[in-house]
Amino acid sequence: MAIRKLKPVTPGTRWASVSAFTEITKTRPEKSLIEPLKSSGGRNNTGRVTSRHRGGGHKRFYRIVDFKRNKFGMDATVTAIEYDPNRSARLALLQYKDGERRYIVAPDGIKVGEVLRSGPDAEIKVGNAMPLANIPAGTFVHNIELRPGKGAQMARSAGMAVQLMAKEGKYAQLRLPSGEMRTVAVDCMATIGGVGNADHENISIGKAGRSRWLGIRPQSRGVVMNPVDHPHGGGEGKSPQGNPHLVSPWGWLTKGKKTRKTKKASSKFIVKRRK
């Protein structure tokens, strides 16, 4: 994937860059694999805003992605690479020998016409999925399950790749891109290779309107508000914040405070923290 820099003919395009979309082979999604997606505007089931600065944005359809890869022992041909507005990665459309079609997150370097397979008998090849027990140590993987049969929850965004470091007994040890070392059951499925579209992080939004297309609304700094609206507000002129600690509008510490539960059940699987 490549990044295309726009010619600066307007202030909005001066800093903007976009994906070149050179790997995309099909522009319309598979009709049988999409469903409507309702925008929440950051509101929960009671109608209260629980995530601020969300709203608007382009209407989207949700693509039903196969994160389980549970169609074992059957070859599938990659028929298309598609854009997905709901994630940073691309999607690969697979067609199985029995005619069924499924979307998967497109691995890096995958091409139309390649034949993929999932299951314990699959070979070590980019795009093939199998349990961690069948993957050699040192291999880079993505789309990793945290519980056997639940479906992939880890390493699903653009450019992600996790290294399988070792296997011991019922557990495999993984090194995440953050530097964290974590153990996962060897029965969990993973896909060989890394996720494609690694240049996604280098795209420059370029203008405020483009954030609005993505459903991101403007955010005001606390120091420019009044004291009634934010703990950092008030003061004459461009004054420093009154509160010595950076806090949210409700007074919660925002930098450095640990938010992970101390007795979280999955803590025992973390061998080494990311920091």
Side-chain angles (χ1 to χ4, degrees):
M1 177 224 164
I3 297 290
R4 187 163 62 89
K5 186 82 175 66
L6 299 182
K7 187 178 179 182
V9 293
T10 63
T13 57
R14 185 162 299 278
W15 310 110
S17 62
V18 295
S19 170
F21 301 107
T22 51
E23 70 277 24
I24 302 296
T25 64
K26 184 165 171 271
T27 54
R28 294 280 180 181
E30 193 68 24
K31 273 195 173 181
S32 61
L33 295 174
I34 59 173
E35 57 185 34
L37 187 64
K38 189 173 183 292
S39 175
S40 68
R43 288 162 175 79
N44 66 3
N45 61 335
T46 64
R48 294 174 185 266
V49 175
T50 52
S51 185
R52 299 185 301 153
H53 318 121
R54 303 258 183 112
H58 201 288
K59 186 174 174 61
R60 303 171 176 180
F61 280 101
Y62 178 72
R63 277 74 167 164
I64 300 166
V65 182
D66 177 21
F67 287 115
K68 293 188 176 182
R69 298 294 296 273
N70 54 6
K71 208 170 173 74
F72 294 163
M74 187 181 291
D75 289 345
T77 306
V78 179
T79 58
I81 306 293
E82 296 184 24
Y83 170 77
D84 187 355
N86 305 299
R87 67 189 74 249
S88 56
R90 304 292 187 229
L91 295 182
L93 182 62
L94 303 186
Q95 176 145 3
Y96 287 88
K97 282 193 170 180
D98 62 357
E100 186 182 357
R101 293 185 174 187
R102 291 188 184 185
Y103 277 130
I104 63 165
V105 172
D108 189 28
I110 205 79
K111 297 282 193 299
V112 172
E114 288 191 35
V115 177
L116 303 182
R117 194 180 181 92
S118 60
D121 62 333
E123 64 174 310
I124 306 300
K125 172 189 167 185
V126 172
N128 283 357
M130 62 202 75
L132 288 168
N134 297 59
I135 301 174
T139 308
F140 283 94
V141 294
H142 66 280
N143 266 14
I144 305 155
E145 291 182 328
L146 293 177
R147 291 184 184 178
K150 189 177 181 182
Q153 293 177 268
M154 200 159 54
R156 307 191 327 189
S157 60
M160 288 294 101
V162 172
Q163 191 171 18
L164 175 59
M165 303 302 292
K167 290 179 282 186
E168 188 176 346
K170 295 181 180 179
Y171 293 97
Q173 198 172 97
L174 304 172
R175 184 170 66 191
L176 309 186
S178 63
E180 180 177 293
M181 299 286 286
R182 189 185 185 101
T183 57
V184 175
V186 292
D187 298 332
C188 291
M189 295 284 288
T191 306
I192 305 294
V195 185
N197 198 22
D199 273 337
H200 174 80
E201 64 178 349
N202 300 323
I203 292 174
S204 173
I205 296 292
K207 63 178 185 177
R210 197 166 163 196
S211 284
R212 300 305 294 264
W213 302 341
L214 298 173
I216 303 167
R217 296 187 66 238
Q219 181 172 353
S220 291
R221 293 170 296 137
V223 289
V224 299
M225 298 183 189
N226 292 320
V228 69
D229 299 315
H230 202 284
H232 296 172
E236 293 295 324
K238 194 171 183 180
S239 62
Q241 62 195 31
N243 193 326
H245 302 294
L246 298 172
V247 293
S248 72
W250 304 278
W252 307 329
L253 288 172
T254 55
K255 292 195 175 179
K257 181 176 171 61
K258 289 181 169 61
T259 56
R260 187 179 170 89
K261 293 177 185 175
T262 54
K263 294 184 178 179
K264 194 160 184 177
S266 62
S267 292
K268 62 185 177 183
F269 297 115
I270 298 173
V271 178
K272 179 186 159 217
R273 297 275 180 194
R274 63 191 173 93
K275 291 184 179 177

